[in-house]
Amino acid sequence: HATGKMEWAPPVDLPSEEEAAKYPMCVLFLDEMNSAAPSIQAAAFQLCLDRKIGTYTLPKNVMVIAAGNRDSDRGVTFRIPKPLANRFVHMEMRVDFDSWNEWAIEDGQHADVVGFLNYSKSSLHDFDPKSPELAFATPRTWEFVGDLLNDNPPDDIAMDIISGTVGEGLALKFMAHRKVASKLPKAIDVLTGKVTKLDVKDISAQY
């Protein structure tokens, strides 16, 4: 009002120089970037290359990272404009069981889920974009399974909700494994000699 010129206020959701200075590195994470319409994505051109929006400038220790589903994943995606794509280094991420397993143990994920997936590692992720099924296994949905089991539902209800989370085929496989695993002694009791006889006859359980 005093100068007769418009001044831009700095965006409240982007880090100031003072905030960024508290950390050795900051990440500006633009998640699901290609779910935005191309006209909205275009708004990121200046931010991703020149590190500016209007008069605001990203602090030097802020790294810009974007993520999104592939077009072939049948998510809600728009083709990324070529000028925007040219502003990034592109990397395709994959599901890695060992990384997930390390996280799951440290995070205290449900023991039945961790045990089953160590028995059947390929069951961690079975997403097929061509399948009409709405329920399928991913690290995210297995975490849902663990959360649901924490409520100790009866087996029949557990079967229904797990089928609706990772699919009926994997739910059957998981519940069968869970039933056998619940009868097994603790590994430490076997190793210390407290348990010397195994009553379970299932070959995979004996193994």
Side-chain angles (χ1 to χ4, degrees):
H1 177 71
T3 63
K5 296 180 180 180
M6 182 175 69
E7 295 183 29
W8 291 96
V12 70
D13 50 355
L14 294 177
S16 64
E17 290 286 353
E18 294 76 18
E19 185 69 21
K22 298 177 183 177
Y23 309 97
M25 175 68 73
C26 300
V27 174
L28 174 60
F29 185 43
L30 307 176
D31 198 12
E32 305 290 359
M33 188 174 202
N34 58 339
S35 291
S39 59
I40 304 299
Q41 294 182 43
F45 284 8
Q46 186 185 25
L47 178 66
C48 295
L49 184 63
D50 300 328
R51 300 173 59 83
K52 293 173 64 70
I53 293 181
T55 57
Y56 169 84
T57 301
L58 279 175
K60 291 183 179 180
N61 66 330
V62 176
M63 178 183 291
V64 180
I65 297 178
N69 290 311
R70 299 168 299 185
D71 291 340
S72 60
D73 290 335
R74 297 195 177 184
V76 179
T77 60
F78 295 91
R79 189 173 297 278
I80 297 176
K82 291 296 183 181
L84 180 59
N86 194 236
R87 284 161 164 78
F88 284 97
V89 175
H90 297 267
M91 303 179 115
E92 191 162 308
M93 307 299 289
R94 63 177 172 83
V95 175
D96 179 71
F97 175 80
D98 291 335
S99 298
W100 177 87
N101 193 47
E102 182 179 348
W103 165 81
I105 293 171
E106 291 179 357
D107 192 63
Q109 289 294 300
H110 200 286
D112 288 350
V113 172
V114 176
F116 170 72
L117 292 175
N118 272 272
Y119 163 75
S120 179
K121 296 179 174 64
S122 62
S123 298
L124 176 62
H125 186 266
D126 73 346
F127 171 62
D128 178 3
K130 296 179 181 178
S131 172
E133 298 297 327
L134 297 177
F136 49 88
T138 65
R140 176 194 296 145
T141 52
W142 279 117
E143 184 177 0
F144 293 167
V145 170
D147 292 342
L148 293 166
L149 290 176
N150 284 331
D151 293 331
N152 297 313
D155 282 353
D156 57 337
I157 295 177
M159 178 62 197
D160 288 341
I161 57 178
I162 294 172
S163 293
T165 306
V166 296
E168 186 176 2
L170 275 180
L172 285 166
K173 191 176 177 181
F174 172 80
M175 293 299 288
H177 178 274
R178 189 182 189 216
K179 184 177 181 180
V180 173
S182 66
K183 299 176 182 177
L184 293 176
K186 293 181 179 179
I188 190 65
D189 290 342
V190 176
L191 294 172
T192 57
K194 291 181 181 179
V195 174
T196 58
K197 182 181 179 183
L198 185 63
D199 295 325
V200 176
K201 302 305 178 184
D202 183 88
I203 298 297
S204 62
Q206 290 180 350
Y207 173 79

